[in-house]
């Protein structure tokens, strides 16, 4: 309830959008898409409609003789997961994937945002929904400002269009570093994890050291990447199949990896076993701030349904607590801004990150105040860590 007042303020305040910048980006994307289209047609040896799965299927699987991974009622499947498996088979596949990504940026984000900009103020007013996700994370809709794709540089650049609403103000962004893994360390009480965070070690390197039994200097980038996948896999409810897919290794290798991880972090293993039992006994699990999620499927006779429920029981306290912590931080932050009579405004919440707009004169205060408030929203066995930055747009603040 206290958060709903803050969200209402954020929705009413809105975020200023540089419409000219967005239009320019739209034009640049149109030109990029045209170049990509010409290249795809050249590689295919003929012109065809790239957006037609049927025509695309004929080109890839009949004409270019690529192996068909999946079939649908109407022909060959050309879904993203199919194309990703074929990416190294022919140059055209990578180009098609890029074409689709840019097409989505163009239609969903550039054109989509331009449709909802308030003409009088050049602002967009997203809506925050508290009751949509099962884990308790906030959702942003109409427009959704939480899932602007940032893996692609072109996607990241869309954030350049989000600017302060007043002259001589800046955007200030602060986000929690690895909050879910810190939650896991606290909830599971795992000594290894707690020690790593208390000593400010790189957690993925530490995991790689423990799982591969090597010293820090012997950890390769590939070892760290695998350790990272397992760390986050544990947070989201790991399965050997899921890990094998994300790391492109066999299911057996993934199972072995998880086994070694749980031997190294026996506190995590114990937590996972206990939380599943707790869910079976009570019918629900709880977050750190005592929010419940009921999981009736945990006693299902269907193995797949029950397995999914067990993974849900493992990851809900971790993800749900991360959601609780940032909500608590928003409430504390709003109180501090009011108490200190600051002009700074909270504009957006994107998962583990808060975005403010602030007069340049208040930046020095915010550099101390924001991390302090966010890091002490709750007290855990490990320190919460907040990174912050600021700049002339949301992009520059990141």
């Amino acid at each position: 309830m206290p958060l709903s007042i803050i969200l209402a303020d954020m929705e009413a305040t809105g975020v200023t959008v540089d419409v000219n910048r967005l239009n320019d980006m739209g034009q640049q994307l149109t030109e990029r898409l045209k170049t990509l289209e010409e290249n795809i047609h050249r590689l295919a040896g003929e012109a065809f409609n790239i957006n037609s799965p049927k025509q695309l299927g004929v080109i890839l699987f009949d004409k270019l003789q690529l192996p068909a991974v999946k079939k649908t009622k109407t022909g060959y499947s050309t879904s993203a997961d199919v194309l990703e498996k074929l990416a190294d088979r022919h140059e055209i596949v990578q180009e098609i994937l890029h074409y689709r990504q840019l097409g989505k940026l163009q239609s969903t984000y550039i054109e989509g945002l331009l449709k909802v900009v308030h003409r009088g103020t050049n602002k967009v007013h997203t809506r925050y929904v508290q009751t949509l996700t099962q884990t308790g994370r906030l959702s942003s809709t109409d427009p959704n400002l939480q899932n602007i794709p940032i893996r692609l540089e072109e996607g990241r650049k869309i954030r350049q269009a989000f600017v302060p609403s007043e002259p001589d103000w800046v955007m200030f962004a602060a986000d929690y570093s690895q909050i879910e893994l810190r939650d896991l360390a606290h909830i599971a009480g795992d000594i290894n994890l707690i020690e790593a965070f208390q000593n400010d070690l790189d957690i993925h390197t530490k995991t790689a050291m423990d799982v591969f039994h090597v010293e820090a200097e012997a950890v390769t980038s590939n070892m760290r990447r695998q350790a990272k996948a397992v760390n986050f896999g544990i947070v989201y409810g790991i399965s050997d199949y899921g890990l094998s897919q994300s790391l492109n290794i066999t299911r057996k290798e993934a199972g072995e990896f998880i086994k070694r991880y749980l031997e190294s972090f026996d506190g995590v293993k114990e937590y996972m076993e206990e939380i599943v039992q707790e869910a079976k006994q009570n019918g629900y699990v709880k977050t750190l701030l005592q929010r419940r999620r009921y999981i009736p499927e945990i006693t299902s006779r269907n193995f797949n349904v029950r397995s999914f429920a067990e993974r849900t029981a493992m990851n809900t306290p971790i993800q749900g607590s991360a959601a609780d912590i940032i909500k608590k931080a928003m409430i504390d932050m709003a109180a501090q801004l009011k108490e200190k009579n600051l002009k700074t405004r909270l504009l957006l919440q994107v998962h583990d990150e808060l975005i403010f707009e602030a007069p340049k004169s208040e930046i020095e205060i915010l550099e101390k105040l924001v991390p302090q408030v966010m890091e002490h929203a709750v007290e855990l066995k490990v320190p919460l860590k907040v990174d912050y930055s600021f700049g002339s747009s949301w992009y520059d603040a990141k």
Side-chain angles (χ1 to χ4, degrees), residues 54-207:
K54 199 170 181 191
Q55 289 183 36
L56 181 59
V58 170
I59 293 288
L60 295 179
F61 305 112
D62 293 341
K63 187 171 182 185
L64 298 175
Q65 292 290 297
L66 292 173
V69 181
K70 230 178 3 187
K71 279 207 156 188
T72 64
K73 284 176 189 168
T74 52
Y76 300 105
S77 168
T78 59
S79 62
D81 57 334
V82 167
L83 293 187
E84 271 154 20
K85 286 194 176 90
L86 300 170
D88 53 357
R89 295 293 192 107
H90 197 291
E91 197 188 334
I92 196 170
V93 181
Q94 209 56 57
E95 295 289 272
I96 291 162
L97 283 166
H98 198 183
Y99 178 87
R100 281 189 181 171
Q101 286 171 319
L102 295 190
K104 185 165 169 55
L105 278 183
Q106 171 78 302
S107 59
T108 307
Y109 297 100
I110 306 256
E111 290 166 10
L113 277 171
L114 286 167
K115 277 181 198 151
V116 291
V117 173
H118 190 283
R119 289 288 165 239
T121 59
N122 277 355
K123 283 185 172 189
V124 291
H125 300 268
T126 187
R127 283 192 306 116
Y128 283 105
V129 186
Q130 287 205 63
T131 52
L132 188 72
T133 68
Q134 295 279 359
T135 53
R137 285 200 176 279
L138 284 177
S139 288
S140 153
T141 59
D142 307 324
N144 182 346
L145 297 179
Q146 290 178 326
N147 70 344
I148 296 173
I150 51 171
R151 285 202 176 148
L152 276 186
E153 178 57 21
E154 291 96 341
R156 272 201 298 276
K157 279 187 171 163
I158 290 174
R159 292 179 165 193
Q160 290 176 343
F162 291 86
V163 294
S165 61
E166 316 224 10
D168 235 24
W169 281 42
V170 291
M171 303 295 268
F172 186 101
D175 70 295
Y176 281 113
S177 167
Q178 299 172 330
I179 187 170
E180 288 164 333
L181 291 172
R182 289 168 195 267
D183 279 344
L184 174 64
H186 173 84
I187 293 168
D190 185 280
I191 294 159
N192 267 343
L193 272 183
I194 290 172
E195 219 170 71
F197 282 123
Q198 282 177 342
N199 296 325
D200 205 17
L201 302 177
D202 176 82
I203 194 68
H204 305 312
T205 302
K206 169 80 173 102
T207 302

Side-chain angles (χ1 to χ4, degrees), residues 10-24:
M10 288 162 68
E11 292 177 3
T13 302
V15 193
T16 302
V17 171
D18 182 337
V19 174
N20 295 336
R21 172 67 63 85
L22 263 190
N23 279 321
D24 288 349

Side-chain angles (χ1 to χ4, degrees), residues 73-356:
K73 284 176 189 168
T74 52
Y76 300 105
S77 168
T78 59
S79 62
D81 57 334
V82 167
L83 293 187
E84 271 154 20
K85 286 194 176 90
L86 300 170
D88 53 357
R89 295 293 192 107
H90 197 291
E91 197 188 334
I92 196 170
V93 181
Q94 209 56 57
E95 295 289 272
I96 291 162
L97 283 166
H98 198 183
Y99 178 87
R100 281 189 181 171
Q101 286 171 319
L102 295 190
K104 185 165 169 55
L105 278 183
Q106 171 78 302
S107 59
T108 307
Y109 297 100
I110 306 256
E111 290 166 10
L113 277 171
L114 286 167
K115 277 181 198 151
V116 291
V117 173
H118 190 283
R119 289 288 165 239
T121 59
N122 277 355
K123 283 185 172 189
V124 291
H125 300 268
T126 187
R127 283 192 306 116
Y128 283 105
V129 186
Q130 287 205 63
T131 52
L132 188 72
T133 68
Q134 295 279 359
T135 53
R137 285 200 176 279
L138 284 177
S139 288
S140 153
T141 59
D142 307 324
N144 182 346
L145 297 179
Q146 290 178 326
N147 70 344
I148 296 173
I150 51 171
R151 285 202 176 148
L152 276 186
E153 178 57 21
E154 291 96 341
R156 272 201 298 276
K157 279 187 171 163
I158 290 174
R159 292 179 165 193
Q160 290 176 343
F162 291 86
V163 294
S165 61
E166 316 224 10
D168 235 24
W169 281 42
V170 291
M171 303 295 268
F172 186 101
D175 70 295
Y176 281 113
S177 167
Q178 299 172 330
I179 187 170
E180 288 164 333
L181 291 172
R182 289 168 195 267
D183 279 344
L184 174 64
H186 173 84
I187 293 168
D190 185 280
I191 294 159
N192 267 343
L193 272 183
I194 290 172
E195 219 170 71
F197 282 123
Q198 282 177 342
N199 296 325
D200 205 17
L201 302 177
D202 176 82
I203 194 68
H204 305 312
T205 302
K206 169 80 173 102
T207 302
M209 286 162 65
D210 290 346
V211 171
F212 293 109
H213 307 300
V214 294
E215 292 303 311
E217 45 280 1
V219 173
T220 64
S221 60
N222 195 41
M223 283 178 181
R224 188 181 180 278
R225 186 178 70 87
Q226 291 186 317
K228 186 175 180 178
V230 175
N231 274 334
F232 285 111
I234 293 286
V235 168
Y236 293 111
I238 194 89
S239 70
D240 53 4
Y241 174 73
L243 186 65
S244 71
Q245 291 292 301
S246 66
L247 286 177
N248 218 355
I249 55 178
T250 66
R251 218 167 157 166
K252 194 178 170 199
E253 286 172 315
E256 183 56 35
F257 207 112
I258 293 166
K259 187 168 159 269
R260 288 210 306 269
Y261 176 95
L262 294 173
E263 281 164 5
S264 304
F265 299 97
D266 52 356
V268 174
K269 186 181 185 206
E270 212 172 293
Y271 156 74
M272 290 166 91
E273 288 164 357
E274 283 174 5
I275 198 76
V276 168
Q277 285 315 311
E278 196 181 303
K280 282 181 177 162
Q281 208 173 335
N282 300 333
Y284 62 82
V285 291
K286 287 188 300 197
T287 67
L288 280 176
L289 299 186
Q290 305 302 308
R291 195 163 42 77
R292 292 181 184 184
R293 177 174 180 180
Y294 287 86
I295 311 173
E297 302 84 3
I298 196 96
T299 52
S300 168
R301 286 183 180 172
N302 179 312
F303 174 77
N304 286 341
V305 171
R306 191 173 66 251
S307 299
F308 182 76
E310 287 174 359
R311 288 202 298 278
T312 301
M314 291 172 202
N315 72 39
T316 294
I318 303 162
Q319 284 184 285
S321 296
D324 287 354
I325 290 168
I326 197 156
K327 287 176 177 177
K328 170 83 165 47
M330 290 166 79
I331 294 167
D332 295 351
M333 203 58 234
Q336 284 295 316
L337 292 177
K338 198 172 179 181
E339 190 185 307
K340 295 192 169 18
N341 211 6
L342 297 173
K343 290 180 179 157
T344 297
R345 301 177 191 126
L346 178 54
L347 297 182
L348 294 170
Q349 188 259 40
V350 180
H351 306 313
D352 302 331
E353 174 185 13
L354 297 180
I355 293 112
F356 305 82

